[in-house]
Structure formats: C-alpha cells, structure tokens
C-alpha cells in the first residue's frame, strides 16, 4: 500500500508556491550576485583620505550579508534537499511538475506519467519540502 503524505492544507498551499518559485529564486540569486559584483564601488559619504579603498572587499562583504540572497539560497537549499530524498525517477517527475510546470494531463499525454504516479510524486515532494521547512 502506498504511503499517505498528508500535509495540512494551509502548509500545502505555501509549499506548492515555494516549489513553483524555485526557478525564480535561483534566477534572483544570480541577478543579485551579479548586481553586487558588477556595480560600482559605493561612496561611504566620507571625504577621501589617505587610506586606499578596497571595492573588491566591499563587494565580497555585500555578497555574504545581503539578506535577499541568504533567504533565497536557504529556500533553494531546502528544496534541493527535499528533492534529494526522492528516487531518481521521482526526481525527474517532480522537476517536470514544479520546475517546468507540467500539469497532470500534459504529463500523461507527453511523458506517459500516470495520474497516480503524478499525484504520488507531487504529494511526496510537498511532504518532504514541508519537513525541510519545519512546517510539519
């Protein structure tokens, strides 16, 4: 008998949104890092003294401390951990469902994924992700 992966509805809705936003979060991380790396050095408002400035150090510090990057990386990491708990064939199906946006009919027609398998993998991925997020 197949295991039931029950998640409270409000958690399920939240986790599904996080899973569908996975690709957006990866792009956000790349964009924010690129903005920091290729932006010009910031002026700290103080007049220039004899000390030399180190724009590379300032950029590296921004990379580490930027809150948006940290939050997005944390989300991506938790989703990747949950994905790693699935079997390899289930991982491919989960990627198609959440990262490529396949609905059940499209998955069945073009990929030969049965309705039962589709919903089983979806529920399993939501369950594991909710566990990683500490929601259940």
């Amino acid at each position: 008998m197949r295991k039931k992966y029950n998640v409270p509805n409000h958690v399920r809705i939240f986790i599904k949104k996080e899973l569908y936003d996975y690709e957006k979060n990866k792009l956000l991380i790349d964009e924010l890092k690129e903005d920091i790396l290729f932006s010009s050095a910031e002026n700290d408002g103080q007049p220039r003294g004899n000390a030399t400035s180190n724009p590379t150090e300032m950029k590296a510090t921004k990379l580490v401390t930027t809150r948006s990057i940290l939050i997005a990386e944390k989300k991506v990491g938790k989703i990747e951990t949950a994905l790693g708990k699935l079997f390899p064939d289930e991982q491919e199906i989960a990627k198609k469902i959440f990262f490529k946006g396949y609905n059940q009919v499209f998955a069945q027609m073009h990929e030969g994924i049965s309705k039962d398998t589709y919903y089983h993998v979806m529920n399993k991925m939501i369950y594991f992700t909710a566990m990683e997020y500490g929601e259940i």
Side-chain angles (χ1 to χ4, degrees):
M1 178 172 215
R2 185 175 58 162
K3 182 177 177 180
K4 301 286 182 189
Y5 296 100
N6 294 327
V7 176
N9 195 43
H10 69 284
V11 174
R12 181 180 184 77
I13 292 167
F14 168 69
I15 295 298
K16 278 180 82 171
K17 183 182 180 328
E18 291 295 313
L19 287 165
Y20 286 124
D21 286 345
Y22 172 82
E23 292 293 331
K24 279 194 241 175
N25 283 329
K26 285 182 72 172
L27 286 173
L28 176 69
I29 292 167
D30 293 340
E31 287 174 7
L32 290 172
K33 285 183 178 180
E34 199 171 293
D35 284 349
I36 291 169
L37 289 173
F38 297 110
S39 66
S40 60
E42 292 182 12
N43 184 358
D44 60 2
Q46 299 297 319
R48 278 268 202 215
N50 291 340
T52 58
S53 84
N54 189 344
T56 305
E57 181 183 6
M58 289 173 22
K59 290 178 184 180
T61 303
K62 275 179 107 178
L63 276 176
V64 174
T65 59
T66 301
R67 183 169 169 75
S68 298
I69 293 174
L70 295 175
I71 291 169
E73 284 178 337
K74 197 174 199 180
K75 289 179 179 183
V76 166
K78 288 179 180 187
I79 290 170
E80 288 173 350
T81 301
L83 190 62
K85 293 180 180 181
L86 299 176
F87 295 114
D89 57 331
E90 292 175 332
Q91 288 178 11
E92 292 305 314
I93 294 169
K95 288 176 185 177
K96 289 174 183 173
I97 293 169
F98 294 109
F99 307 157
K100 293 183 180 177
Y102 285 22
N103 65 26
Q104 189 270 318
V105 174
F106 186 86
Q108 188 170 11
M109 289 177 61
H110 295 282
E111 300 291 330
I113 300 168
S114 72
K115 182 178 180 179
D116 188 49
T117 301
Y118 180 92
Y119 287 107
H120 174 70
V121 171
M122 174 188 275
N123 291 332
K124 194 173 181 180
M125 184 63 186
I126 291 169
Y127 179 81
F128 286 149
T129 305
M131 285 178 52
E132 288 298 318
Y133 272 63
E135 295 291 328
I136 56 172

